Amino acid sequence: MVRSLRLIEICKSYGPVKALSSVSLEVPQGRFTCLLGPSGCGKTTLLRAIAGLEKPDSGRIFLGSREITGLPPSARGFGVVFQSYALFPNLTARENIAYGLGSRGLNPRTIQLRVLEMLDLVGLKGEADRYPSQLSGGQQQRVALARALAPAPDLLLLDEPLSALDAKVRMNLRRELRNLQERLGITTVMVTHDQEEALSIADEVVVMKDGQIMQKGSPLEIYDRPANPFVADFVGAINFLEDEGRVTAIRPEHVRVFPEGKPGFQAEVREIEFRGASCRLVLGSGKTRLVADVPASLLKEKGIGHGCPVRIDLPPEHCISFDSVPVGA
């Protein structure tokens, strides 16, 4: 039976502040969905409403045909992983994962086997008897994830689970999390403010701002075909060029840069930021400022350096037109 998660016109206010304004969303079964947006956009409030930790002022929530709007968190059967991990410091990894399974009427042997299965799933069999203080941040997050998955939940909810980790650990755990979700086929909703994280891990990205959904789509759709200037500006770098009341947008990697003597617009290299295999150039043409990402080898090959005159081309197939510039991105 298909058990997609459906939110219908969810509203939530805190005094005069509207955290959620008539949010409607469907999360398909077995898919990985990221709620993406800046701080204060409502994404965490929405996740907490799904989990039952916040009661909506109005609206309805369904899992399949079953309405769960008024159910307490314990009756929803969801696994939740928080940014802070929320592990019990006086319990070992094994005991943390087992916590809560006993209340489900399982016998000790079944619990033991399930815990071992979860430890193996997240690669922590050798750390079973360590306490949280003896584990790295990445290992603690794996324990928290194993604990959430142990009861075989219908839905996995993740509230910025990787944000407290350093960049390299975060990247590795991001891949592990995605592989794990695909193996289990569990419907997953994750909150993040990290655009790269959302684009690399999700089947669908939901971009939010001011308590509303700005756009929902695949990572490619969100990046290549943003619905409005806010999404274009928030998800990745972009150039906005105003012309007679309309705005043309183009991603830095689509700006073509040539040495002098080639066709195109005249510009000057004002800044160069080395990024390994590529370089980010800040180009100036009068009052116009453009950012371009080019292969690092191009600069050496063509003798392009700081202060050099260049020609630039903006391929029309990569340009997007909007009626207005972004506000408060």
Side-chain angles (χ1 to χ4, degrees):
M1 182 177 68
V2 176
R3 303 191 72 191
S4 62
L5 176 73
R6 288 184 297 128
L7 312 176
I8 302 173
E9 296 187 352
I10 302 297
C11 294
K12 179 67 180 179
S13 295
Y14 300 101
V17 179
K18 272 194 172 183
L20 297 172
S21 183
S22 296
V23 172
S24 294
L25 175 67
E26 182 165 356
V27 177
Q29 183 180 21
R31 306 283 280 176
F32 198 124
T33 298
C34 276
L35 305 180
L36 173 67
S39 297
C41 73
K43 57 187 184 295
T44 294
T45 301
L46 186 60
L47 190 85
R48 290 175 63 83
I50 295 170
L53 299 170
E54 294 283 357
K55 184 179 178 181
D57 298 332
S58 61
R60 305 173 76 186
I61 304 174
F62 290 84
L63 183 64
S65 60
R66 175 189 179 214
E67 182 169 3
I68 62 172
T69 313
L71 292 181
S74 58
R76 298 194 181 199
F78 297 165
V80 185
V81 179
F82 297 102
Q83 179 180 346
S84 61
Y85 314 145
L87 299 177
F88 297 106
N90 59 323
L91 300 181
T92 64
R94 184 197 308 274
E95 292 165 340
N96 264 285
I97 297 170
Y99 187 85
L101 290 178
S103 63
R104 294 174 176 264
L106 302 177
N107 63 57
R109 177 61 178 165
T110 301
I111 292 175
Q112 181 184 26
L113 291 175
R114 182 62 174 169
V115 169
L116 289 174
E117 181 185 357
M118 290 297 101
L119 285 165
D120 187 46
L121 188 69
V122 297
L124 287 178
K125 262 191 172 180
E127 317 298 332
D129 296 315
R130 291 181 178 269
Y131 291 92
S133 62
Q134 299 172 314
L135 300 172
S136 68
Q139 289 172 329
Q140 290 180 47
Q141 190 58 282
R142 288 185 180 92
V143 174
L145 185 60
R147 183 178 61 185
L149 291 171
D154 292 318
L155 188 71
L156 180 63
L157 304 175
L158 308 171
D159 187 8
E160 304 217 36
L162 310 181
S163 61
L165 305 172
D166 66 58
K168 189 171 183 179
V169 173
R170 187 165 65 243
M171 189 172 294
N172 290 336
L173 199 51
R174 179 195 302 170
R175 286 195 296 267
E176 291 177 22
L177 179 59
R178 176 56 176 168
N179 291 339
L180 188 60
Q181 186 273 334
E182 288 180 331
R183 282 174 60 192
L184 297 176
I186 185 170
T187 307
T188 302
V189 180
M190 184 173 87
V191 162
T192 183
H193 63 273
D194 186 322
Q195 302 95 323
E196 181 183 329
E197 186 169 272
L199 294 177
S200 66
I201 202 172
D203 294 309
E204 291 191 311
V205 178
V206 179
V207 183
M208 298 184 65
K209 177 178 181 283
D210 297 335
Q212 297 180 309
I213 293 175
M214 296 287 102
Q215 187 176 356
K216 173 190 172 184
S218 70
L220 184 61
E221 288 169 341
I222 295 290
Y223 189 81
D224 273 358
R225 296 187 292 280
N228 53 55
F230 172 80
V231 176
D233 193 47
F234 187 77
V235 181
I238 201 160
N239 296 290
F240 289 102
L241 304 171
E242 295 185 60
D243 182 27
E244 297 181 358
R246 287 187 64 80
V247 174
T248 297
I250 187 168
R251 298 287 184 191
E253 66 269 24
H254 294 143
V255 177
R256 295 175 180 169
V257 181
F258 307 99
E260 278 284 79
K262 298 287 185 179
F265 302 100
Q266 176 76 50
E268 178 187 81
V269 179
R270 293 180 177 171
E271 296 177 28
I272 300 177
E273 180 183 333
F274 180 65
R275 295 187 167 196
S278 67
C279 286
R280 174 157 290 182
L281 308 181
V282 176
L283 307 169
S285 179
K287 293 183 179 179
T288 301
R289 178 183 181 274
L290 275 173
V291 175
D293 290 340
V294 301
S297 58
L298 177 71
L299 303 190
K300 183 177 180 180
E301 180 186 336
K302 302 298 183 182
I304 297 173
H306 190 277
C308 283
V310 292
R311 292 281 178 172
I312 56 175
D313 180 44
L314 310 179
E317 65 270 22
H318 293 301
C319 293
I320 310 165
S321 292
F322 299 112
D323 292 324
S324 61
V325 294
V327 178

